[in-house]
Amino acid sequence: MAKYNIKEKKVKDATYMTLVNPTLMDEMKEKILNIIVMQKKYKDKDYSAKKLAEDLGTNTRYVSAVVNVRFHTNYSSFVNKFRIEEAMTILTDKRYRGLKMEEVSDMVGFSNRQSFYASFYKFMKMTPREYRIKHSVKKTKSKEKKNE
């Protein structure tokens, strides 16, 4: 007799993901990229999937389906990816060397430092502070080599 009652997890297909036809999905993908990346809405702490859906004239289920199918992630991770990429640029830019992590977090659209650290670690496998130190050391060493 088994000690634990363990059942295999059933994988369910999300039916809403097949609701959007592929052509419309490609169009929405481009529109989503335009709004989130080109218009830099990822920097807006309050820009939610609901607001994106309103801007696209659709509903959140369709937005979610497109993000899941075309970007292979959920909305939060999709937006946080762009925030982290911008944070990486800021953290290695000597013009922003004096900024505190809370300020960097705020600049790229996170509502608090904890979510910034958690997302940064999820994507980069190191903290923002570790990233800043590691990359400022690399830049310093490469400058030293050029001056030799």
Side-chain angles (χ1 to χ4, degrees):
M1 189 156 124
K3 187 174 180 179
Y4 300 103
N5 187 16
I6 299 172
K7 295 181 182 178
E8 275 190 49
K9 185 178 178 182
K10 293 180 183 176
V11 178
K12 296 180 184 177
D13 289 332
T15 54
Y16 69 90
M17 287 190 191
T18 58
L19 293 175
V20 186
N21 76 47
T23 307
L24 182 59
M25 208 174 260
D26 288 337
E27 288 174 21
M28 285 180 68
K29 174 187 174 184
E30 293 307 314
K31 289 178 181 177
I32 289 169
L33 282 170
N34 178 46
I35 292 170
I36 299 296
V37 182
M38 302 308 286
Q39 296 178 27
K40 297 193 178 207
K41 291 288 186 178
Y42 63 86
K43 288 183 167 189
D44 183 350
K45 295 174 184 52
D46 301 318
Y47 198 75
S48 62
K50 184 178 180 183
K51 286 185 182 178
L52 176 60
E54 288 170 7
D55 289 346
L56 292 170
T58 188
N59 63 48
T60 54
R61 293 187 102 189
Y62 282 176
V63 168
S64 180
V66 172
V67 171
N68 277 277
V69 172
R70 292 295 188 243
F71 300 107
H72 309 288
T73 189
N74 62 35
Y75 177 79
S76 296
S77 294
F78 174 70
V79 171
N80 286 345
K81 176 181 170 271
F82 297 107
R83 291 174 175 166
I84 297 305
E85 287 172 358
E86 177 127 353
M88 289 164 50
T89 303
I90 292 169
L91 291 169
T92 57
D93 191 326
K94 64 182 178 186
R95 295 174 294 176
Y96 301 112
R97 195 176 301 140
L99 288 181
K100 295 178 183 173
M101 287 304 160
E102 290 85 359
E103 294 168 313
V104 174
S105 169
D106 190 56
M107 284 174 72
V108 299
F110 284 97
S111 54
N112 60 59
R113 195 184 81 159
Q114 289 80 10
S115 59
F116 172 54
Y117 266 75
S119 291
F120 198 97
Y121 195 85
K122 178 183 171 187
F123 283 95
M124 300 305 300
K125 306 295 183 238
M126 66 177 75
T127 67
R129 184 177 181 280
E130 290 169 338
Y131 183 85
R132 177 185 262 170
I133 291 167
K134 180 179 178 181
H135 288 81
S136 64
V137 167
K138 278 185 179 177
K139 284 186 176 182
T140 305
K141 285 183 180 177
S142 65
K143 284 181 183 178
E144 288 171 359
K145 284 182 181 178
K146 286 180 184 178
N147 293 335
E148 289 178 353

